[in-house]
Amino acid sequence: MHNPAWWQSAVIYEVYPRSFQDSNGDGIGDLDGIIQRLDYLVRLGVDAIWVAPIYRSPMADFGYDVADYCSIDPIFGTMEDFDRLLEETHRRNLRLILDFVPNHSSDQHPWFLESRSSRENPKRDWYLWRDEPNNWRSNFGGSGWEWDERTNQYYYHSFLKEQPDLNWRNPDVRAAMFDVLRFWLDKGVDGFRVDVMWLIIKDDQYRDNPPNPEFSPTQSSGNSLLTIYNSNRPEVHEVVAEMRSLIDSYPERVLIGEIYLPLKDLMTYYGLDLNGANLPFNFLLLQCPWNTQAIAKVVSEYMKVLPHGAWPNWVLGNHDNARIATRVGRSQSVIAAMLLLTLPGTLTIYYGEEIGMTNALIRAEDVQDPAEKRQPGIGMGRDPERTPLTWDSSEKAGFTQGRPWLPIGADHQTVNVEVEESDEASILNLYRRLIALRRAYPMLVGGQLGVLTTLGDLLCYERSDGSQRLVVLLNLGQSPIHAETGAGIILTGTDSRRDSEQVGNFIELRGSEGVIVEVIS
């Protein structure tokens, strides 16, 4: 790597602000709380924080329904608090990435209030209005069309009825949303993660979607159709390229796209001549079965189809999916950490992964997520992975002095930052060692990734830069494995007691153990 951009070597940390740290006792995390915990992130070793939406919002979908893109919701603080967060983040040589929600606004946004005031209003065409609905569904279940009594038409919403979709075919909408980006870029934010990037443009003929032959009644009704006309339309790439051009007009900024699509389609979001998103989020590891063959296949296929010059990225968890320690088990969560932090490119960590947090049990009376309320019992709820970060063993886990907006995880007395900081064998200290190793060995970021080989529960691959070779050995099973490695020294592993251990051509790995060996030629 010659003169890489900062984001190419970055480990990004997602902060879900409602659940990170409450500073005023109302039970909801806020900007001052993030500021209070910045030094923790410095000690962890991450390079950037991505903050989920903090804009003014009625909170129908907890900030993903924006009523004012250029203000801070009072729940989180003030614009002065944001300015201080940005200053304190940069003072610590960290970067700050904001969530940008361009597909839809809140139904309380002034734009929509004008749009629905009359059919003749100049902003009528800023949203998607129809006399008759087609069959497009909401991702939260039910029809995507909502009847408006005042103007006797339907408007489209990809999610809640409180989240009407903007019409990105209207040039005035594009101009207004690009002005939003400029507002925050002028303040000095370091980039954006763009929410549901692949949904921004819809079919201009409003054609019905065909049925999904693989739909199961256990799934969200939103999956009953193949969304070929209300997602991933060809024109979306023009929008993304315009967005990227704007981002590039400011130095050292990054554009990240949330995109849940098959691999072939995902790659198109890098854009022609790489003029699209710098990083179309790669969710393959988040979605694949946890076994050596499946992991080797998705990693190899991703790297194989990556466009020439495009930069890879990897994600294991986020605010919409079950926590990694719940998906693969607590013992394997350390293997997941070692896998993530030894792959090439930009990495994203979801808050709490670094201490091994699991999904919390949410009783029916504690449910907050509208996705669960609309379609209960089919796994749509995202509350379990959004519970407050557990800082210590106290009753409220050091998160708040008030009543937390979601329950504290039942295992918080042992799974918390304070306990794990003092335990050399903890997953927190493993994350710290692995992140430090990426900085010490740039080949882990930009070096060659060798062929991923599997032997039963053993996953093995090399990272190299031509002069040095590192071998990563991961045991995804519970039984010991006798593995071939080549003579060298263990740089670090899931068991810190083996750090600096000399090894011969073979090594014994216990169940759920991984090591990184520097091979001595």
Side-chain angles (χ1 to χ4, degrees):
M1 293 172 61
H2 299 287
N3 300 316
W6 68 264
W7 51 265
Q8 290 182 296
S9 59
V11 176
I12 300 170
Y13 185 96
E14 180 187 354
V15 169
Y16 193 70
R18 296 181 69 91
S19 296
F20 195 64
Q21 178 66 61
D22 171 26
S23 71
N24 61 9
D26 66 357
I28 299 173
D30 46 45
L31 298 181
D32 274 345
I34 299 174
I35 294 170
Q36 291 174 14
R37 299 296 188 176
L38 285 175
D39 289 337
Y40 165 76
L41 298 178
V42 172
R43 294 195 302 275
L44 181 59
V46 299
D47 304 282
I49 58 173
W50 149 35
V51 180
I54 51 177
Y55 315 109
R56 186 178 292 274
S57 167
M59 298 293 164
D61 191 22
F62 299 110
Y64 284 95
D65 51 316
V66 180
D68 184 344
Y69 287 93
C70 296
S71 71
I72 302 297
D73 195 274
I75 286 177
F76 300 120
T78 65
M79 188 61 76
E80 290 72 23
D81 295 328
F82 175 81
D83 292 339
R84 190 159 55 89
L85 171 61
L86 185 61
E87 179 184 357
E88 292 296 326
T89 300
H90 286 166
R91 190 168 67 82
R92 290 166 173 81
N93 295 317
L94 297 173
R95 307 279 184 156
L96 183 62
I97 298 167
L98 289 186
D99 223 310
F100 181 51
V101 189
N103 178 70
H104 49 268
S105 74
S106 165
D107 64 351
Q108 299 305 304
H109 195 293
W111 298 343
F112 188 70
L113 295 178
E114 285 193 52
S115 184
R116 77 186 311 179
S117 65
S118 77
R119 294 196 185 193
E120 290 73 38
N121 188 278
K123 286 189 171 59
R124 184 66 171 184
D125 190 49
W126 282 41
Y127 293 84
L128 304 175
W129 293 94
R130 296 267 291 168
D131 288 329
E132 297 292 335
N134 61 15
N135 72 350
W136 297 353
R137 310 290 290 178
S138 162
N139 287 281
F140 285 166
S143 172
W145 295 94
E146 183 70 14
W147 175 250
D148 180 61
E149 292 282 355
R150 178 177 301 175
T151 57
N152 294 320
Q153 276 191 316
Y154 294 86
Y155 67 85
Y156 181 66
H157 53 93
S158 294
F159 297 94
L160 298 174
K161 64 181 177 63
E162 294 86 358
Q163 297 169 287
D165 281 34
L166 285 153
N167 178 16
W168 274 81
R169 295 182 183 276
N170 185 319
D172 292 335
V173 170
R174 294 195 192 189
M177 293 301 275
F178 289 159
D179 282 345
V180 169
L181 293 177
R182 291 187 187 94
F183 174 86
W184 295 104
L185 289 166
D186 287 342
K187 276 188 169 291
V189 302
D190 298 289
F192 298 91
R193 173 266 192 188
V194 180
D195 185 58
V196 296
M197 179 180 276
W198 82 107
L199 298 183
I200 292 174
I201 291 278
K202 281 75 177 179
D203 181 49
D204 57 356
Q205 300 177 52
Y206 293 94
R207 286 170 284 189
D208 280 346
N209 283 323
N212 179 2
E214 298 181 1
F215 174 67
S216 164
T218 61
Q219 299 174 338
S220 166
S221 64
N223 294 336
S224 62
L225 303 173
L226 297 175
T227 58
I228 62 175
Y229 292 119
N230 59 340
S231 73
N232 195 34
R233 301 302 300 161
E235 300 92 333
V236 72
H237 299 292
E238 174 193 336
V239 174
V240 176
E242 288 183 28
M243 205 176 289
R244 169 67 182 278
S245 178
L246 170 57
I247 296 294
D248 283 351
S249 69
Y250 291 77
E252 298 189 323
R253 305 305 211 273
V254 65
L255 182 65
I256 304 170
E258 181 197 27
I259 301 153
Y260 287 92
L261 287 174
L263 186 56
K264 174 177 65 69
D265 295 321
L266 174 67
M267 291 298 142
T268 64
Y269 283 80
Y270 280 104
L272 295 174
D273 301 320
L274 303 183
N275 69 345
N278 297 111
L279 299 172
F281 259 149
N282 166 20
F283 297 131
L284 293 176
L285 289 178
L286 189 152
Q287 297 168 320
C288 82
W290 195 251
N291 63 69
T292 55
Q293 291 188 339
I295 293 170
K297 180 179 180 182
V298 299
V299 172
S300 301
E301 289 183 349
Y302 175 84
M303 296 300 294
K304 182 178 180 180
V305 301
L306 202 65
H308 180 70
W311 193 247
N313 74 95
W314 306 92
V315 179
L316 272 179
N318 63 25
H319 60 275
D320 289 330
N321 291 274
R323 288 191 173 278
I324 184 65
T326 293
R327 287 195 288 121
V328 306
R330 195 179 299 281
S331 65
Q332 279 290 302
S333 63
V334 295
I335 297 297
M338 185 162 284
L339 171 68
L340 176 70
L341 287 158
T342 54
L343 289 173
T346 304
L347 313 179
T348 301
I349 297 171
Y350 183 47
Y351 85 98
E353 285 180 1
E354 77 279 10
I355 60 172
M357 284 180 66
T358 54
N359 282 14
L361 178 64
I362 307 296
R363 299 174 302 176
E365 59 267 32
D366 293 326
V367 169
Q368 302 289 328
D369 187 6
E372 176 67 16
K373 290 179 178 180
R374 283 178 63 98
Q375 299 182 96
I378 63 170
M380 292 294 291
R382 300 160 295 177
D383 292 334
E385 59 263 23
R386 296 179 175 184
T387 56
L389 186 59
T390 49
W391 295 98
D392 60 36
S393 302
S394 64
E395 180 185 1
K396 296 172 183 176
F399 166 70
T400 184
Q401 295 298 313
R403 176 184 171 87
W405 78 286
L406 279 175
I408 302 293
D411 57 1
H412 82 275
Q413 291 189 337
T414 54
V415 180
N416 68 67
V417 172
E418 185 178 66
V419 165
E420 295 189 28
E421 280 189 321
S422 59
D423 179 6
E424 182 59 30
S426 70
I427 187 171
L428 173 58
N429 281 309
L430 172 63
Y431 266 91
R432 287 175 173 169
R433 295 197 307 274
L434 290 170
I435 293 171
L437 197 68
R438 281 181 75 83
R439 289 185 172 173
Y441 287 80
M443 75 175 80
L444 285 172
V445 178
Q448 292 294 314
L449 172 66
V451 175
L452 282 77
T453 61
T454 65
L455 182 61
D457 289 326
L458 177 68
L459 178 65
C460 176
Y461 50 93
E462 283 191 9
R463 301 301 315 280
S464 63
D465 64 0
S467 60
Q468 287 180 302
R469 289 173 55 219
L470 305 184
V471 175
V472 182
L473 298 158
L474 305 175
N475 184 356
L476 274 71
Q478 302 303 315
S479 301
I481 286 177
H482 189 65
E484 184 175 358
T485 176
I489 185 172
I490 296 177
L491 295 179
T492 196
T494 53
D495 183 348
S496 62
R497 294 171 298 182
R498 300 191 72 173
D499 290 8
S500 302
E501 177 184 323
Q502 299 282 340
V503 296
N505 290 323
F506 295 89
I507 188 172
E508 290 283 346
L509 296 178
R510 296 190 305 275
S512 299
E513 183 178 13
V515 294
I516 303 170
V517 176
E518 183 173 16
V519 177
I520 309 300
S521 301

